[in-house]
Amino acid sequence: MRLFHVSEQPDIIEFEPRIPDRNDLDKNVGLVWAIDDFHLSNFLTPRNCPRVGYHIGQETTEQDKTDFFSTPSASHGLLLEHKWYDIVKSTTLYIYEFDPADFTLQDAAAGYHVATKKQTPLAIYEFSDLFSELIKRNVEIRLVDNLWHFADKVKSSTLDWSLCRMAYAQPKKTS
């Protein structure tokens, strides 16, 4: 298993555990977060870019595959707002690889792993063409004006999904 941390910072030497912002996690235990290789595509965007990531899981029905993917060979999807296109296009990301020994699985559907000890990266990779990196990973990319309708739809599907940085998304449209 390979584990990564994605950042816009090119020069992180060590990752110190930080107290999580999430209310469902212990506020007394600092964590270093990592993402596994399978889910890395959900994070190949600028940090604050709102996005809906989804992929085919063990429970995914044929109907959901048809409803959510227009390319039969795609297994991952990433939905972004149009207004983020130029920002994604011009962003360089640095992918820090960790030794997985100290990490435990925190969320299987999202691919999150956490460690409570300081981590030193094994390697650093620079990605300057994020759309090409996503396409290499067989990710179907969709650009929309508003993420919320699709976010609601994917949450009620049989796909595995991840909603990231939705606080930065356009407001939910009411009909």
Side-chain angles (χ1 to χ4, degrees), residues 74-135:
S75 59
H76 287 262
L78 192 62
L79 196 71
L80 308 171
E81 293 176 338
H82 284 121
K83 75 178 206 167
W84 281 87
Y85 176 81
D86 287 333
I87 300 166
V88 172
K89 193 82 174 130
S90 65
T91 296
T92 296
L93 293 178
Y94 300 89
I95 315 305
Y96 294 86
E97 186 168 6
F98 294 130
D99 179 343
D102 292 333
F103 287 85
T104 58
L105 181 63
Q106 195 272 336
D107 182 334
Y112 298 152
H113 298 256
V114 293
T116 57
K117 298 177 185 174
K118 176 172 42 179
Q119 298 295 314
T120 303
L122 299 174
I124 304 168
Y125 310 97
E126 182 177 323
F127 291 178
S128 58
D129 185 345
L130 303 181
F131 286 115
S132 288
E133 292 297 331
L134 289 164
I135 291 165

Side-chain angles (χ1 to χ4, degrees), residues 114-169:
V114 293
T116 57
K117 298 177 185 174
K118 176 172 42 179
Q119 298 295 314
T120 303
L122 299 174
I124 304 168
Y125 310 97
E126 182 177 323
F127 291 178
S128 58
D129 185 345
L130 303 181
F131 286 115
S132 288
E133 292 297 331
L134 289 164
I135 291 165
K136 283 182 201 174
R137 288 170 170 71
N138 201 27
V139 176
E140 187 172 286
I141 306 160
R142 293 187 192 178
L143 300 172
V144 298
D145 289 328
N146 193 291
L147 295 175
W148 290 104
H149 169 73
F150 196 84
D152 291 341
K153 187 176 171 186
V154 78
K155 285 193 297 187
S156 65
S157 77
T158 59
L159 293 163
D160 287 342
W161 51 269
S162 179
L163 306 182
C164 300
R165 299 294 182 174
M166 295 300 281
Y168 296 94

Side-chain angles (χ1 to χ4, degrees), residues 19-29 31 33 106:
I19 299 298
D21 292 334
R22 291 175 38 180
N23 291 328
D24 62 326
L25 298 174
D26 186 345
K27 300 283 189 183
N28 298 308
V29 178
L31 300 171
W33 291 83
Q106 195 272 336

